[in-house]
């Protein structure tokens, strides 16, 4: 069997280009951006690396095949023709999920049933058995129908990639780890600059920044469903993990600070930072934004102020954004980045953003408001560098 597979990194709406950039920086090939996903190619090692390293993708899929499917017969025959036996073991568990959009086959449960039946028939022919116990490795299949065309995929990830493993408890409406990482990657922050979050909640933004700053692979502390697949040997996973451990740069000094008005949130943030291995690197303290005092020059504020379901009082939201604007005024060398669904954000903040980018925080349409302060002056090169 060829060891170059058609792979897909799924992406939240608006983050496809960030996922593509991550794949490019990781050295993957044949990268193609589409709505909600980024395609690329690779073999077993690439599957391991993508799962371990991708910060903003939701999951990594194997594309098993694509074909026209206007009828259940076409869906059945197209599915049965794919080489499921090369992937799914005789004892493998293979649940089927589905979705359908703008297709004649609009009944998702019916499509799932047809796909399951077709896979069973194909495996029966190969394994010469009439019954599958499905008590072995898990192979989650998805049938996705769009414009009468079916795509069949296998999920290599399991629990979504945002499940890093460090956040055991969460406060109200936390930001997803993948989105938090995206906000950091879209900002001007790098480890040489102070970073402050005045609405830090359970600390996700700062922990993701710490992982980026130290080049920690976000999937290093968790397992993936494809770790049980014979087609991806244990030795390949071990090599990918060893490579990731060797890449950690924990000698870099980080200047990360977070504050929140809620003592409970700060306790959750401290626990998550400790779990992630950054208890000493991130300073968390209880303070309202009016008392927030970022230290240093040429720093970066990245934040996700409370809104929507988190706050019913729009006056309170207005006040918070006004205080953010005031903070920006008294920190002339700092840059500020804030995600918010508020159409009045720039008005309350006191000036229009230098850049805006549409993002979805869960299902909520937001803008990522970017206020770009001056970049730090370049350090003069030492004689040894000249």
């Amino acid at each position: 069997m060829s060891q170059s597979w058609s792979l897909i990194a799924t992406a939240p709406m608006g983050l496809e280009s960030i996922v593509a950039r991550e794949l490019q920086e990781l050295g993957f090939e044949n990268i193609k951006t589409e709505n909600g996903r980024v395609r690329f190619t690779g073999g077993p090692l690439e599957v391991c690396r993508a799962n371990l390293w991708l910060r903003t993708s939701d999951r990594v899929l194997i594309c098993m095949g694509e074909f026209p499917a206007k009828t259940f017969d076409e869906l059945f025959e197209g599915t049965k023709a794919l080489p499921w036996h090369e992937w799914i073991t005789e004892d493998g568990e293979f649940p089927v999920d589905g979705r359908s959009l703008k297709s004649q086959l609009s009944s998702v449960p019916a499509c799932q049933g047809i796909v399951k039946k077709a896979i069973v028939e194909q495996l029966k022919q190969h394994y010469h058995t009439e019954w599958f116990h499905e008590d072995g490795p898990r192979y989650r299949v998805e049938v996705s129908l769009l414009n009468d065309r079916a795509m069949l995929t296998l999920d290599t990830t399991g629990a979504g990639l945002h499940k890093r493993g460090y956040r055991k408890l969460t406060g109200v409406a936390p930001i997803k780890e993948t989105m938090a990482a995206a906000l950091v990657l879209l900002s001007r922050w790098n480890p040489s600059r102070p970073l402050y979050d005045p609405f830090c909640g359970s600390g996700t933004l700062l922990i993701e920044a710490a992982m980026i700053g130290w080049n920690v692979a976000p999937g290093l502390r968790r397992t993936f469903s494809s770790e049980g697949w014979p087609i991806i040997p244990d030795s390949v996973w071990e090599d990918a993990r060893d490579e990731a451990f060797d890449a950690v740069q924990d000698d870099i000094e980080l200047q990360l600070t977070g504050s929140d008005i809620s003592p409970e949130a700060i306790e959750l943030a401290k626990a998550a930072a400790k779990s992630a291995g950054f208890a000493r690197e991130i300073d968390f303290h209880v303070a309202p934004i009016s008392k927030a005092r970022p230290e240093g020059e040429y720093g970066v504020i990245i934040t996700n102020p409370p809104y929507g379901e988190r706050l019913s009082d729009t006056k309170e939201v207005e006040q918070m954004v006004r205080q953010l604007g005031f903070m920006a005024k008294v920190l002339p060398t700092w840059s500020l980045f804030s995600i918010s669904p508020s159409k009045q954000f720039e008005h309350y903040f006191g000036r229009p953003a230098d850049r805006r980018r549409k993002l979805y925080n869960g299902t909520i349409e937001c803008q990522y408001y970017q206020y770009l302060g001056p970049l730090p002056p370049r350090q003069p090169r030492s004689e040894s560098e000249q």
Side-chain angles (χ1 to χ4, degrees):
M1 178 176 180
S2 168
Q3 294 292 287
S4 183
W5 306 323
S6 175
L7 306 174
I8 294 169
T10 64
M13 213 182 315
L15 294 185
E16 294 92 346
S17 63
I18 307 303
V19 173
R21 191 172 78 190
E22 282 197 84
L23 288 165
Q24 200 169 8
E25 289 172 354
L26 289 167
F28 294 116
E29 297 180 341
N30 303 318
I31 298 165
K32 184 184 174 190
T33 305
E34 300 175 358
N35 281 340
R37 61 182 175 234
V38 183
R39 294 177 184 259
F40 61 109
T41 56
L45 184 58
E46 285 70 35
V47 168
C48 301
R49 282 177 175 158
N51 275 299
L52 286 167
W53 280 102
L54 287 176
R55 300 182 190 278
T56 59
S57 172
D58 287 324
R59 53 187 67 248
V60 179
L61 310 176
I62 308 277
C63 181
M64 292 294 294
E66 298 172 79
F67 49 86
K70 291 184 178 179
T71 67
F72 286 129
D73 278 347
E74 286 180 334
L75 181 60
F76 181 88
E77 295 301 332
T79 301
K80 190 181 172 188
L82 298 174
W84 299 102
H85 63 277
E86 294 180 353
W87 294 85
I88 301 173
T89 55
E90 188 173 351
D91 62 347
E93 177 192 3
F94 50 102
V96 179
D97 292 336
R99 51 200 169 107
S100 177
L101 189 66
K102 299 177 184 173
S103 295
Q104 292 181 47
L105 299 180
S106 57
S107 169
V108 172
C111 292
Q112 288 171 249
I114 292 289
V115 167
K116 180 79 174 185
K117 185 178 177 184
I119 296 173
V120 167
E121 288 304 310
Q122 204 267 356
L123 293 179
K124 274 183 183 180
Q125 290 176 4
H126 181 77
Y127 290 118
H128 307 293
T129 182
E130 289 296 313
W131 183 256
F132 296 98
H133 292 284
E134 295 198 46
D135 53 4
R138 183 177 175 85
Y139 302 83
R140 189 177 74 87
V141 178
E142 182 178 81
V143 51
S144 176
L145 288 149
L146 176 63
N147 295 324
D148 295 322
R149 190 167 177 81
M151 177 194 285
L152 278 294
T153 58
L154 277 178
D155 175 21
T156 74
T157 301
L161 288 174
H162 71 283
K163 301 271 191 186
R164 315 287 208 221
Y166 62 74
R167 198 163 72 175
K168 310 300 181 195
L169 301 166
T170 56
V172 179
I175 193 168
K176 251 188 178 179
E177 292 86 339
T178 41
M179 176 57 74
L183 298 185
V184 176
L185 292 173
L186 285 166
S187 79
R188 288 179 160 193
W189 181 78
N190 66 58
S192 69
R193 304 178 71 175
L195 176 61
Y196 195 100
D197 182 357
F199 300 106
C200 70
S202 52
T204 308
L205 259 165
L206 291 161
I207 294 168
E208 290 297 318
M211 294 174 82
I212 291 166
W214 275 8
N215 200 38
V216 175
L220 212 43
R221 295 170 172 268
R222 55 161 288 174
T223 57
F224 304 93
S225 60
S226 52
E227 285 185 62
W229 299 3
I231 200 167
I232 305 177
D234 291 345
S235 59
V236 179
W237 279 105
E238 286 168 19
D239 289 347
R241 277 207 164 82
D242 287 345
E243 182 182 79
F245 274 115
D246 291 343
V248 174
Q249 299 172 337
D250 57 3
D251 56 344
I252 295 174
E253 187 179 342
L254 301 174
Q255 308 164 71
L256 306 175
T257 309
S259 59
D260 198 280
I261 198 169
S262 164
E264 294 82 8
I266 292 299
E267 287 307 307
L268 289 173
K270 287 179 177 177
K274 183 178 179 181
S275 176
F278 296 106
R280 294 180 181 176
E281 281 65 42
I282 310 174
D283 173 34
F284 289 110
H285 57 270
V286 179
I289 185 171
S290 58
K291 297 277 174 41
R293 296 289 180 268
E295 294 180 4
E297 296 291 317
Y298 301 99
V300 178
I301 291 166
I302 307 176
T303 195
N304 172 36
Y307 52 76
E309 295 170 10
R310 300 164 72 192
L311 272 187
S312 55
D313 187 349
T314 53
K315 281 283 181 195
E316 200 174 345
V317 174
E318 177 186 336
Q319 185 62 22
M320 286 177 178
V321 177
R322 287 188 188 279
Q323 286 171 328
L324 264 183
F326 177 75
M327 181 185 281
K329 277 185 182 175
V330 299
L331 295 168
T333 67
W334 283 57
S335 298
L336 187 145
F337 300 81
S338 180
I339 186 170
S340 175
S342 172
K343 307 289 186 201
Q344 299 295 310
F345 184 95
E346 291 163 301
H347 172 70
Y348 297 147
F349 190 89
R351 63 185 168 101
D354 297 307
R355 291 182 195 157
R356 295 194 305 176
R357 185 185 183 113
K358 185 161 77 171
L359 296 174
Y360 285 83
N361 190 4
T363 57
I364 303 171
E365 183 182 320
C366 298
Q367 290 287 341
Y368 192 35
Y369 296 97
Q370 304 167 55
Y371 295 88
L372 309 177
L375 290 170
R378 289 188 174 182
Q379 297 295 323
R381 290 191 299 172
S382 65
E383 288 184 17
S384 61
E385 294 176 311
Q386 291 176 3

